[in-house]
Amino acid sequence: MRVLRIFAASLRVARSSDNFLDEMTCPICKKPADLSPRNRFRPFCSERCQMIDLGTWASGDYKVEGATTPADNEHHDDLKKRRLLN
């Protein structure tokens, strides 16, 4: 949820005549970032910011909120065995 808030907060509405977003601020460094296909690192301004974000995800610093259940952590074969035993 934190990531979505950061992303939403970083959007800066800059509408073109076609009425779509074409510019925002980079979620990492807050510099302007081009959303057009010319920017291969979008929604980031550079490869550096893209790699920083990837590292943050990989380290587990970003988390998606939601309740986990024991079934979420078990393999589907184990769940089948449990159902057969009950």
Side-chain angles (χ1 to χ4, degrees):
M1 200 63 170
R2 177 177 176 245
V3 175
L4 294 177
R5 276 187 250 150
I6 290 170
F7 183 74
S10 68
L11 286 176
R12 184 178 58 182
V13 178
R15 300 196 178 266
S16 68
S17 59
D18 295 329
N19 215 13
F20 62 88
L21 293 171
D22 58 359
E23 190 176 314
M24 64 175 279
T25 57
C26 176
I28 302 299
C29 70
K30 308 300 184 225
K31 291 180 183 175
D34 182 15
L35 286 181
S36 73
R38 292 184 313 249
N39 179 8
R40 65 185 194 146
F41 307 112
R42 67 182 182 269
F44 306 99
C45 65
S46 65
E47 183 178 17
R48 176 187 168 273
C49 288
Q50 189 180 48
M51 292 295 109
I52 290 171
D53 186 70
L54 178 62
T56 305
W57 274 106
S59 67
D61 289 343
Y62 289 144
K63 295 186 178 19
V64 177
E65 290 181 18
T68 58
T69 62
D72 291 340
N73 300 325
E74 294 185 46
H75 192 272
H76 68 281
D77 287 339
D78 294 333
L79 295 172
K80 287 180 188 177
K81 288 177 189 175
R82 183 177 305 148
R83 278 187 228 126
L84 290 173
L85 294 174
N86 290 336

